[in-house]
Amino acid sequence: MTELQSFGLRLADPGAGAASRRGGAGPSDHKAVTVDGHTIMVPVHTSSAWNSPFTAQAPDAEGRSTLTRGSIPIARISFPKQPRFYAMQTFDGVPYSHIATLHGSDVLATTVLQTCIRYESRKKSCKFCAIGQSLAAGRTIARKTPEQLAEVARAAVLLDGVKHMVLTTGTPNATDRGARILCESAFAIKAAVDIPIQGQCEPPDDDQWFHRMKAAGIDSLGMHLEVVTPEVRERVMPGKASVPVARYMSAFEAAVGVFGRGQVSTYILAGLGDTREAILEICDRLLVLGVYPFVVPFVPISGTPLEDHPAPSPEFMKSILQPLGRSLGEANLRSSDIKAGCGKCGACSSLSVYES
Ligand code: SF4
């Protein structure tokens, strides 16, 4: 799985299963693939995927496909089906799929606010991010209202059995940094349907927001470091680097006090210049705080300034995920104990496979 995520996948039938994801906030340009009962997101639209040794042959009548490496069959895989809620639209005519999408096999994910103060200038924006692309392409809307989110979440639970929900957001301001719209959204969703929710935002300027988010119905929280070394932060995400790592660490500590050990997590993109040692060192500090460090391989998204940046090698990923998996076990933190969100889903990294 680690190799598949690093190299990507060529598809004999690009239309198989649920539609692949292009653009948007966070990792993208990949498709959900189920291998050995474990659903992972595998790059399919990146340039490295076009040269991948892995190919998924056209699926059979049951939707199962043979995965080959070169010409050698190595596994049977399947693709999660297109969810039924994608066929619906709101009373005001917005397709549900423009409001939230299926991630992995059972996660409903949405970017509540598709604009970001960091993205206003490409000089300051996070160079890996494609939050403006899906909006420009008309595949989503700029702001999902609490009512729209509640309507879609209810349908996705009832029709497709989604198990948890991710609310991420572009950063609207330099104060609450998105916490307020996450609160409004979670409150409306929880009033409509009982589903665990992860909120994701930059650390707000006031730790009181953690209490407000929890009270609004957010069960777990992600605050994403993305990269960790000061020079790499300045180079890769010059705007977001204005919030120092020290603020992330104090916010993590305060958030764990509200959400509990293992219910606060962070995303770390391996392959953008941080050394293995730098990533493992900060992961050790996070584990002491009770934060789940979700280390994922960087996916170079088409149309971003980093589209030609290579994905990390499987060896580099294994050299991080193996010891990190052991450390997670020693800290008694497990993806399966997270109530909602990326760490629980686990589709963007093979980390959970290494958990001991
Ligand atoms: S890990 Fe997060 S971003 Fe990746 S598929 Fe799961 S919910 Fe989506």
Side-chain angles (χ1 to χ4, degrees):
M1 288 187 209
T2 310
E3 291 189 10
L4 198 52
Q5 283 193 314
S6 286
F7 290 128
L9 178 64
R10 289 184 287 156
L11 300 168
D13 175 8
S20 52
R21 180 165 180 257
R22 294 191 89 135
S28 186
D29 284 18
H30 47 195
K31 187 175 181 78
V33 179
T34 305
V35 190
D36 278 344
H38 195 95
T39 301
I40 53 174
M41 300 304 284
V42 180
V44 292
H45 295 304
T46 61
S47 53
S48 53
W50 297 330
N51 299 311
S52 170
F54 296 108
T55 306
Q57 303 303 325
D60 61 21
E62 273 116 47
R64 292 177 62 77
S65 166
T66 300
L67 177 68
T68 56
R69 183 180 189 130
S71 56
I72 302 168
I74 55 167
R76 295 285 284 164
I77 60 173
S78 60
F79 301 97
K81 289 203 182 74
Q82 186 89 323
R84 287 191 278 181
F85 79 85
Y86 276 20
M88 299 173 72
Q89 60 176 34
T90 61
F91 286 126
D92 46 350
V94 182
Y96 277 13
S97 61
H98 289 197
I99 295 168
T101 54
L102 184 75
H103 280 206
S105 59
D106 59 6
V107 189
L108 184 67
T110 183
T111 304
V112 181
L113 179 70
Q114 202 79 30
T115 55
C116 182
I117 54 168
R118 312 286 183 218
Y119 202 83
E120 280 161 9
S121 132
R122 254 304 183 195
K123 280 206 182 92
K124 287 277 172 196
S125 73
C126 304
K127 298 201 166 30
F128 47 78
C129 184
I131 192 169
Q133 285 182 19
S134 44
L135 184 59
R139 289 192 294 269
T140 188
I141 54 175
R143 171 76 205 264
K144 288 88 177 176
T145 66
E147 295 73 28
Q148 288 173 329
L149 292 169
E151 186 178 332
V152 176
R154 195 162 179 278
V157 170
L158 295 177
L159 296 178
D160 297 289
V162 302
K163 298 283 189 310
H164 54 118
M165 184 164 186
V166 173
L167 299 179
T168 194
T169 179
T171 301
N173 57 49
T175 50
D176 70 82
R177 301 198 175 101
R180 180 185 298 276
I181 58 171
L182 294 181
C183 286
E184 294 164 4
S185 308
F187 190 80
I189 294 163
K190 278 285 170 78
V193 64
D194 185 18
I195 184 172
I197 296 174
Q198 184 198 38
Q200 302 182 346
C201 61
E202 292 187 46
D205 63 346
D206 180 350
D207 290 346
Q208 277 304 321
W209 280 109
F210 301 132
H211 294 280
R212 294 180 191 126
M213 285 195 271
K214 174 94 175 153
I218 290 175
D219 299 277
S220 60
L221 182 69
M223 293 184 286
H224 296 169
L225 282 163
E226 326 282 10
V227 288
V228 302
T229 313
E231 312 79 77
V232 183
R233 297 184 86 231
E234 279 298 333
R235 175 168 54 79
V236 172
M237 39 177 227
K240 193 167 165 172
S242 63
V243 180
V245 172
R247 171 57 191 142
Y248 275 83
M249 298 313 263
S250 69
F252 286 137
E253 192 171 1
V256 170
V258 174
F259 292 94
R261 264 183 71 78
Q263 300 305 331
V264 178
S265 58
T266 191
Y267 224 96
I268 295 176
L269 295 166
L272 287 175
D274 287 321
T275 62
R276 166 187 184 273
E277 289 70 28
I279 292 176
L280 287 173
E281 190 264 330
I282 203 149
C283 287
D284 282 344
R285 289 167 58 200
L286 292 164
L287 293 175
V288 169
L289 293 176
V291 173
Y292 186 95
F294 189 48
V295 179
V296 309
F298 161 68
V299 176
I301 302 174
S302 307
T304 66
L306 292 179
E307 66 177 358
D308 294 324
H309 192 287
S313 70
E315 291 72 30
F316 182 69
M317 290 311 300
K318 278 185 218 163
S319 78
I320 296 170
L321 299 181
Q322 244 159 13
L324 178 55
R326 276 196 302 276
S327 303
L328 281 166
E330 284 157 17
N332 207 18
L333 293 178
R334 285 186 182 78
S335 53
S336 54
D337 294 335
I338 304 174
K339 292 177 189 164
C342 290
K344 183 177 190 66
C345 164
C348 284
S349 170
S350 52
L351 175 58
S352 65
V353 175
Y354 294 89
E355 281 179 10
S356 56

